[in-house]
Amino acid sequence: MKHIISCEQFDADWLERLFNLADDMMEHPENYTQSLRHKVIATMFFEPSTRTRLSFEAAIMRLGARNISTENAREASSATKGETLEDTIRVVAGYTDGIVMRHFDKDAALRAAQVSSVPIFNAGSGSGAHPTQALLDMYTIHKCNKSFNHLSVAVVGDLLFGRTVHSLIKLLAVYDHVIIYGLSSRHFALPKEYVDYLKIHNATYIPCESFDELPENIDVIYNTRTQLERFTESDLAPKEFIVNKKVLNRFSDETILLHPLPRNAEISPDVDDDPRAMYFKQAHYGMWVRMALLHDTILNQ
Ligand code: NCD
């Protein structure tokens, strides 16, 4: 696979191989410290990031590669001088062996891939996609010993603008007999294109408006923050679906609570110590999944 643009690219066999590689990297990191030696990988972030950029950069270094980075490419790159994304990518591709890019435009990763001679890793494109986050979300589910077929997942919060949800839905649709509950207010409901995508892939989608509508033995609750930076209209008053002790205790001991982070009020810190709260582990797993992805993509392109 040359570029990592969207979750539609992945199938169950490829995902299994990637997760096995991530498992092996976690168990034997010493075997991989030179695997991308002499490679140079750029991280270009046109939108803010903590976990995605730093876990990619840590992954690059743990594989023995080197990193060049623009942390705030929207203001600190030649984009401010009117350079097109295509021209910037053509130039950076000439310096590097791979480009990790986050951008505010939904189509940016695809546009970059069309002109890049080296692999593009989409680290978030507007409200569209965030495939590497979805990979680490699935990897976390795998690490919790859950099987992907017959999985039940509630995606919660901003389903309209949340790119992590949009990508996760496409990965879940790879598997059989998946049930997805969409818990949001009406203004932030899952766009039709994703509902249709689930239907085409034989996954069940059930929109709901309260935690009470979820089965108590649901496998995964995936909460998200409202993407306040992506809308201005005041009539879209966001409603948070807050998971606190009382809410979490309505669910089984086997239910896991995920969140891509950063969180706002939608997960109360009083559940951080609950063994079902997996979001900090999830962020940690992200580095290993990104190591596996960089290794696989750059060496096998
Ligand atoms: C997410 C993102 O950037 O889309 N964060 C992340 O990468 N972990 C989620 C968010 O910002 O709400």
Side-chain angles (χ1 to χ4, degrees), residues 131-201:
T132 69
Q133 177 69 42
L135 291 172
L136 77 91
D137 297 339
M138 292 301 275
Y139 184 67
T140 306
I141 295 169
H142 153 82
K143 292 302 266 182
C144 293
N145 295 320
K146 293 192 178 288
S147 95
F148 295 141
N149 294 318
H150 296 276
L151 200 67
S152 54
V153 179
V155 288
V156 184
D158 184 348
L159 310 184
L160 176 59
F161 297 109
R163 59 189 171 196
T164 69
V165 167
H166 299 163
S167 284
L168 180 59
I169 275 184
K170 290 192 173 171
L171 274 197
L172 291 168
V174 167
Y175 298 96
D176 295 328
H177 308 293
V178 169
I179 303 184
I180 299 171
Y181 297 84
L183 176 50
S184 72
S185 56
R186 201 167 38 88
H187 287 313
F188 290 86
L190 190 67
K192 186 173 178 302
E193 64 171 294
Y194 299 100
V195 178
D196 292 345
Y197 189 92
L198 289 172
K199 198 179 274 172
I200 290 165
H201 290 82

Side-chain angles (χ1 to χ4, degrees), residues 48 51-52 102 130 133 163-164 225 227 229 260-262:
R51 276 148 289 271
T52 307
R102 168 171 288 186
H130 194 350
Q133 177 69 42
R163 59 189 171 196
T164 69
R225 77 179 168 95
Q227 306 282 297
E229 67 275 37
L261 302 178

Side-chain angles (χ1 to χ4, degrees), residues 46-49 74 102-106 122-130 158-164 166 188 225-233 236:
F46 294 80
E47 276 191 341
S49 171
R74 194 168 191 169
R102 168 171 288 186
H103 201 281
F104 44 86
D105 175 10
K106 257 186 171 182
N122 182 3
S125 45
S127 62
H130 194 350
D158 184 348
L159 310 184
L160 176 59
F161 297 109
R163 59 189 171 196
T164 69
H166 299 163
F188 290 86
R225 77 179 168 95
T226 305
Q227 306 282 297
L228 292 164
E229 67 275 37
R230 304 218 186 273
F231 60 91
T232 46
E233 291 147 68
L236 288 184

